[in-house]
Amino acid sequence: MIESKLISEALFADKSFNNLEELKDHVGIKSYASMDQTHSNKIISAKKSGTYKSDGIFTSRKNLGLVVKTADCMPIFLKDKTNIAAVHVGWRGVKNKIINNALKNFNLNELLMSVGPHAQSCCYEVKEDVSKYLYEYIDKREGKEYLHMSQSLIDLSNKIGFKIEVSSICTICDSSYNSYRENKTSKRQYGLIWK
């Protein structure tokens, strides 16, 4: 399990921690909201526990944790003095700028962003159907193209000026994490943020 260094009440679990109730009890929150994730660019306000049809949820409520599930996509947490958010971002989310939709709910002068383990450019090979949209985040090696998803967030941080931390752990080559790209697993690891 990795605790965010930037957001004190946020953590990214590895595949050994697969029980959400246990995770909720571990951090001492009463309830949580999660998402039915579909690679959309939809951000929803979570006012109570439940599952929301979106790829991003935010709340100002205390004791309501927000959960993101990933197995190569980026689990992203946002926090300012009022709101917290959990966002699920894969290559489609980068292309469709879901994080820009999430930022509309935050004070950018106070914003903290934490990005958990995800598919990194060491292993995340893509074809032209992806690289044609995200060419500025492509690393080319030995005739192959590799996607550097988190670079889009680093660039945004440099442009806007918010604080960001990005995990260097690659879910594809680190066996402590579930990876859809590695073996088509249906299992996911959880990220949890609360206030």
Side-chain angles (χ1 to χ4, degrees), residues 54-174:
S54 69
D55 283 86
I57 45 180
F58 71 96
T59 192
S60 59
R61 302 236 351 233
K62 286 193 184 284
N63 287 316
L64 178 64
L66 303 179
V67 174
V68 59
K69 302 174 295 248
T70 56
D72 289 330
C73 291
M74 294 184 290
I76 301 173
F77 296 138
L78 306 172
K79 181 181 192 307
D80 65 11
K81 289 180 180 162
T82 306
N83 290 322
I84 56 172
V87 189
H88 165 254
V89 182
W91 74 263
R92 288 177 187 85
V94 174
K95 173 183 173 261
N96 295 321
K97 302 189 183 310
I98 186 174
I99 211 69
N100 296 63
N101 291 345
L103 294 183
K104 293 172 187 171
N105 303 291
F106 289 85
N107 179 336
L108 300 179
N109 295 319
E110 303 168 358
L111 182 65
L112 304 175
M113 180 185 290
S114 183
V115 184
H118 60 281
Q120 306 270 0
S121 59
C122 56
C123 299
Y124 192 2
E125 185 182 353
V126 294
K127 303 290 183 207
E128 200 266 338
D129 61 328
V130 174
S131 65
K132 69 180 177 185
Y133 296 113
L134 303 172
Y135 54 88
E136 67 266 46
Y137 309 121
I138 295 294
D139 294 338
K140 294 184 178 181
R141 298 190 306 274
E142 298 170 6
K144 295 181 178 178
E145 298 182 316
Y146 297 87
L147 181 58
H148 191 326
M149 281 193 293
S150 57
Q151 187 62 48
S152 63
L153 304 172
I154 294 164
D155 290 353
L156 197 58
S157 165
N158 290 335
K159 181 179 176 184
I160 296 173
F162 58 82
K163 291 183 182 171
I164 187 172
E165 68 173 349
V166 179
S167 172
S168 61
I169 295 171
C170 176
T171 52
I172 299 173
C173 62
D174 188 326

Side-chain angles (χ1 to χ4, degrees), residues 2-41:
I2 302 168
E3 294 182 2
S4 168
K5 292 182 180 75
L6 201 55
I7 302 172
S8 58
E9 295 167 319
L11 57 84
F12 302 100
D14 60 24
K15 70 180 182 184
S16 68
F17 221 116
N18 57 14
N19 183 318
L20 259 178
E21 289 300 317
E22 202 177 307
L23 198 57
K24 172 185 76 113
D25 295 342
H26 175 76
V27 301
I29 56 170
K30 294 177 181 158
S31 58
Y32 61 84
S34 63
M35 296 172 276
D36 180 10
Q37 300 166 180
T38 60
H39 299 281
S40 70
N41 66 349

